Amino acid sequence: PTAPPIQPGSAAIVQVNDALFDTEACLNCHALLAGPFCAQCGQKKAARMGTSTVRKEAWERFRWFEWSTIRNALRVLPQPGTMAREYVLGRRKDHPHPLTLLCLAIGFLLIVLGYTDYLRPELPSEEAQRMYALVTGYSKWSFSLGAVAAFVSMWLVFRRFGYNAAELLALALYCQAVFIALQMVNQLPLVLAHSPALLKWHKAWSPWYMTGLQTLMFMVALRQFFMLGLRHDGWRLLLAGAVFAALKWQATQWYARAVVELVLWQMAG
């Protein structure tokens, strides 16, 4: 026997709270539960996301080389907000854990970046080469700024929609995985075409159009997650997108300055 499926409502009506998870039905397939695991789909009874839940589920479900993980991860690309919403609402068996997905994306990004070592310039001294290596090493981790900007902008604009910090963080991590996928696609021309002219153009324009693409994808994810209508909630999407773009751009500038100061300090030592 199955329980009636949970019908998603609009973001303005549906409130995420502990009562949503206090049910005898599986939140993944809606079958009635007779124990801690669903007899129909095998998912463990879902609890509301929190700090301990995120840590425990990440440890239980972290698998590097499962094809199902990769297959499910690919489903995030066109609909990160929908999958994050379903994951937060309890459908977790068929969706990758946000941290697992993020680690998988980072792994692939580092592989792609490894193929761009030919971009390393010829430097006149060993000291200059060391400085360049330090700057490059720290700069590779600047992609994490997108998740921070996404979380802060969501918290500022949508914190009254009933989702707690862990649930908003799940959406931010799903978005960050998509941002990394976009970054990998953006790096492919540099991997395939060893062209100084292309490299010069890429360095000049990539920060601008990538910020625009990430902002657009972020707004799409927000609309999917909060089930927003363009007519009534378009201003919220535009506001969140503007806050995200501004925060990410400013955070990137601060990060770059911090990297320079840190490298200069290391070189002086």
Side-chain angles (χ1 to χ4, degrees), residues 9-204:
S10 66
I13 298 176
V14 174
Q15 295 294 323
V16 180
N17 50 48
D18 295 338
L20 178 65
F21 298 88
D22 185 17
T23 175
E24 296 301 321
C26 172
L27 293 177
N28 184 62
C29 68
H30 313 301
L32 292 177
L33 292 171
F37 291 89
C38 177
Q40 181 166 308
C41 71
Q43 174 176 288
K44 186 177 181 180
K45 183 176 181 180
R48 186 174 185 184
M49 291 187 67
T51 304
S52 60
T53 308
V54 171
R55 182 176 62 252
K56 183 177 180 181
E57 290 188 357
W59 175 256
E60 289 178 349
R61 300 187 58 184
F62 189 81
R63 299 290 187 273
W64 277 104
F65 300 107
E66 286 187 357
W67 166 244
S68 60
T69 300
I70 299 177
R71 181 189 60 203
N72 291 332
L74 293 177
R75 294 170 53 203
V76 176
L77 298 179
Q79 46 185 357
T82 300
M83 292 194 66
R85 177 181 174 82
E86 291 176 352
Y87 187 89
V88 165
L89 293 180
R91 293 186 58 186
R92 296 173 189 168
K93 183 176 183 295
D94 296 327
H95 295 346
H97 189 281
L99 291 177
T100 303
L101 179 64
L102 183 60
C103 289
L104 187 66
I106 291 174
F108 279 112
L109 177 62
L110 293 178
I111 292 174
V112 172
L113 292 177
Y115 282 94
T116 60
D117 283 344
Y118 75 91
L119 300 177
R120 184 185 299 271
E122 295 293 334
L123 298 172
S125 66
E126 182 178 345
E127 183 179 11
Q129 292 176 4
R130 181 187 170 209
M131 180 178 292
Y132 179 84
L134 288 171
V135 171
T136 303
Y138 288 125
S139 298
K140 284 182 178 180
W141 297 100
S142 62
F143 56 75
S144 61
L145 298 175
V148 177
F151 175 78
V152 173
S153 59
M154 282 188 290
W155 181 257
L156 291 175
V157 180
F158 297 102
R159 65 180 180 273
R160 296 183 180 179
F161 275 58
Y163 295 90
N164 62 31
E167 291 158 348
L168 293 180
L169 180 60
L171 174 57
L173 295 181
Y174 271 102
C175 289
Q176 182 61 29
V178 176
F179 297 160
I180 292 176
L182 291 175
Q183 188 62 38
M184 284 189 285
V185 173
N186 185 51
Q187 292 290 324
L188 286 180
L190 301 181
V191 175
L192 300 176
H194 293 221
S195 169
L198 176 61
L199 175 59
K200 182 178 180 180
W201 182 91
H202 192 275
K203 286 185 174 180

